[in-house]
Amino acid sequence: MAKNVKSLLSRWSSRVFLLELDGALQYFGIQKKNWGEVKVPWPFSKFHKQDRCYSLLVCSPDRIRKAKFYGELKDKLLRHLPPGCDFAVISSFLPNVKDSLIKGYFLKSSIENSSQIERLLSDLEQHDPVSVCSYYGGEDGRWTQHLWSRAESELGRMTKKYYVVPAEVPPCHPSALNMINSDVFYSFDEACDVLKECGDIIPEATSVLEMLPSRVEAMRKPDFPVVVIEGLDATGKTTLTESLRDTLGATLLRSPPECLSPWRARFDQEPPIIRRAFYALGNYITAEQISQEGMKTPIIVDRFWHSTAAYAIATAVSGPECNLPSMGSEVYSWPSDLLQPSLVVLLTVDPEERKRRLRNRGQMETDEEKELDHNRLFRLRVEEAYWRISGPACVTVDASPSADLVLQQVLLLIRGKCHL
């Protein structure tokens, strides 16, 4: 195991592991000694002692390399694992320690496949930034974890043995401690740094960086009010924003801005840290457009910071919405160097009505929109994240009635808040 991997795995016996299996989140810990009668954590209590289990954690200190390899590792494993091998997501973290989260994959198979799997994992461990563990069930029902380690002065593998034990559910999802400037970017400079770091592997990043405004331009407050319309797809944003433009004589802008369209497909294929940085910078370009056009007319914006942050937060955290960072957490704060709108309106419709509208539109869905349709928990996390973001907070409007009624309701809000 490389030295930089070893340094990232410090305090190993203090780590807690989060296994996402069959849609459920299960936490377990490890200890160096067998202290006698200890309850075996689920799902290990349901495994058979003949089962062979393994975990791989991606441990590169280079955040860009780590993010890209995490996605590539999944593809590699799914191509080469034998049939019948169960595959799940696992992560490891130090409780309440920021930036200690390490992500990876968990495998479960029969003893007949163990030789093939261990050859694959051994090759990965020698050449890639991964930490590998195997898990074995004993006659007494206890399970042990064996951390693979390759001694520098000897041939062959050495292992460190730990006992698998139950762990308390942490007060917040471990991803919440790893989210700032990883999944959600709160400054122009932090998002820029990510694109600069991946410039040698993504040539398009340089083109995006050349388009960016200065920090001052992204913060300049316009003379006229700025109204942002937020909401999931098929909640009526396009119809409403165009009606507001015509009624108020306003300028309509969209985020991400049109100038980023040539590169969206490219960045949508990248790991979350790169993709999120790209869309965060799109908000700063839109902010520059707002400051320029807002000197002449009111501004209506179809999506802005709330969408970027809400989807990122909901994607980073798994499980029910109670796993989101608590209300008031810094992850819901508005970036200090980004122009703030005068009013943010969040359109909502019944989930079934939204699906019906999507079917009638017949348009291609983004991956996140497909996830909204198939994963109720993800949709609930997105909606809850929208409501928790402050600076300013969203004003919710039911978009189920006719387009004219929704328009009149939003116009009342704008006239009351923005005095238009």
Side-chain angles (χ1 to χ4, degrees):
M1 193 183 299
K3 290 182 178 179
N4 55 9
V5 174
K6 288 182 179 178
S7 65
L8 283 174
L9 300 181
S10 61
R11 298 171 58 188
W12 183 258
S13 60
S14 300
R15 287 187 166 270
V16 174
F17 298 80
L18 170 56
L19 178 58
E20 302 179 30
L21 195 62
D22 298 328
L25 307 185
Q26 304 297 335
Y27 293 88
F28 67 90
I30 54 175
Q31 62 187 27
K32 291 183 178 179
K33 296 183 179 180
N34 185 357
W35 298 109
E37 193 67 30
V38 177
K39 183 179 178 182
V40 179
W42 196 95
F44 290 94
S45 60
K46 303 298 182 184
F47 293 164
H48 299 292
K49 64 181 181 181
Q50 293 86 3
D51 291 332
R52 291 293 178 265
C53 301
Y54 307 89
S55 61
L56 300 86
L57 297 171
V58 181
C59 304
S60 172
D62 182 331
R63 60 178 179 171
I64 301 301
R65 185 187 179 205
K66 179 169 63 175
K68 288 188 74 67
F69 181 72
Y70 178 73
E72 293 167 359
L73 178 60
K74 180 179 180 179
D75 293 337
K76 185 181 294 187
L77 289 171
L78 292 178
R79 281 198 310 270
H80 297 292
L81 287 172
C85 181
D86 294 333
F87 183 90
V89 173
I90 194 171
S91 55
S92 171
F93 61 96
L94 295 169
N96 300 317
V97 177
K98 289 186 176 182
D99 300 324
S100 67
L101 183 68
I102 308 171
K103 296 181 179 180
Y105 303 104
F106 183 85
L107 314 174
K108 183 175 79 72
S109 187
S110 63
I111 193 170
E112 290 80 9
N113 292 327
S114 60
S115 296
Q116 181 180 347
I117 293 174
E118 292 193 11
R119 283 195 299 271
L120 171 62
L121 300 188
S122 181
D123 182 66
L124 288 170
E125 191 227 2
Q126 291 183 63
H127 300 102
D128 295 308
V130 296
S131 169
V132 179
C133 292
S134 51
Y135 300 80
Y136 299 101
E139 294 294 336
D140 59 355
R142 296 293 303 273
W143 280 76
T144 53
Q145 179 200 74
H146 300 258
L147 174 62
W148 294 14
S149 175
R150 187 163 296 278
E152 295 180 6
S153 59
E154 301 176 20
L155 294 176
R157 185 193 313 130
M158 300 175 62
T159 64
K160 294 181 180 180
K161 177 180 175 181
Y162 301 90
Y163 290 89
V164 176
V165 296
E168 292 185 3
V169 177
C172 66
H173 191 284
S175 290
L177 298 174
N178 200 56
M179 196 177 292
I180 294 177
N181 297 324
S182 175
D183 295 289
V184 188
F185 291 87
Y186 296 87
S187 78
F188 180 87
D189 288 341
E190 291 287 353
C192 276
D193 286 346
V194 172
L195 263 65
K196 290 176 182 176
E197 288 176 39
C198 63
D200 58 335
I201 56 176
I202 306 176
E204 294 86 349
T206 302
S207 300
V208 175
L209 289 169
E210 291 172 350
M211 300 183 62
L212 297 179
S214 69
R215 296 185 202 85
V216 174
E217 292 170 324
M219 289 184 64
R220 186 183 296 121
K221 189 174 181 179
D223 293 338
F224 285 85
V226 179
V227 178
V228 174
I229 307 299
E230 291 280 6
L232 307 181
D233 278 3
T235 52
K237 294 187 306 301
T238 299
T239 300
L240 176 61
T241 53
E242 291 176 352
S243 296
L244 289 172
R245 175 197 60 195
D246 297 340
T247 303
L248 299 173
T251 298
L252 174 58
L253 300 172
R254 291 183 171 85
S255 184
E258 184 64 29
C259 61
L260 291 184
S261 295
W263 299 293
R264 285 187 66 179
R266 176 68 175 86
F267 281 91
D268 281 346
Q269 299 172 5
E270 294 300 325
I273 187 172
I274 300 174
R275 186 170 69 250
R276 301 301 182 192
F278 170 77
Y279 282 109
L281 291 172
N283 286 319
Y284 288 91
I285 295 175
T286 299
E288 178 192 28
Q289 295 172 348
I290 291 171
S291 65
Q292 292 172 350
E293 297 299 322
M295 297 300 176
K296 300 173 286 187
T297 66
I299 302 295
I300 306 299
V301 189
D302 186 339
R303 286 186 166 171
F304 196 41
W305 163 258
H306 281 74
S307 286
T308 306
Y311 277 89
I313 293 168
T315 302
V317 176
S318 49
E321 64 267 32
C322 63
N323 285 337
L324 291 171
S326 59
M327 184 75 76
S329 168
E330 58 186 340
V331 304
Y332 301 119
S333 301
W334 193 273
S336 60
D337 59 356
L338 182 64
L339 181 149
Q340 292 188 15
S342 312
L343 173 67
V344 180
V345 175
L346 175 63
L347 301 181
T348 63
V349 295
D350 178 84
E352 292 304 316
E353 169 62 14
R354 197 182 75 85
K355 287 183 180 181
R356 185 189 66 78
R357 293 182 182 183
L358 281 170
R359 288 194 297 270
N360 289 343
R361 281 163 50 168
Q363 295 179 351
M364 291 291 291
E365 293 180 287
T366 64
D367 289 342
E368 286 178 335
E369 280 299 322
K370 291 177 182 176
E371 184 71 6
L372 284 172
D373 286 344
H374 295 115
N375 189 332
R376 174 178 171 272
L377 290 180
F378 178 63
R379 175 176 56 79
L380 292 174
R381 293 197 304 271
V382 172
E383 292 174 343
E384 185 63 31
Y386 265 125
W387 294 327
R388 294 187 183 187
I389 294 171
S390 59
C394 294
V395 178
T396 302
V397 170
D398 181 7
S400 300
S402 68
D404 285 342
L405 287 175
V406 174
L407 173 63
Q408 294 308 314
Q409 187 175 353
V410 174
L411 284 172
L412 286 175
L413 284 173
I414 293 173
R415 287 163 181 155
K417 176 72 174 178
C418 306
H419 309 295
L420 283 177

